[in-house]
Amino acid sequence: MARRSSNQLVIPQARAAIDQLKYEVAQELGIQLPQDGYYGNMTTRDTGALGGYITRRLVQIAQQQLQQR
């Protein structure tokens, strides 16, 4: 059974965009994401790298949007 995160998105409609970003970053890093959604068999190094790059990308997107104002 896949464990679900207890984190709640402020904007629930953003889930699809976050998932898309996760898959893009994983592909760039060469990390194979599990099809069943269970990340327990992945190494800590891979999940940490994935989360770090996602955060970095989100910060870059936010900075670009602030510069456009």
Side-chain angles (χ1 to χ4, degrees), residues 7 15 25-26 28 30 32 39 51:
N7 295 339
R15 181 159 313 280
V25 170
E28 289 174 14
Q32 183 70 27
Y39 292 88

Side-chain angles (χ1 to χ4, degrees), residues 18-31:
I18 296 292
D19 284 341
Q20 179 65 31
L21 182 60
K22 177 173 52 177
Y23 286 105
E24 288 176 13
V25 170
Q27 184 176 12
E28 289 174 14
L29 295 176
I31 297 173

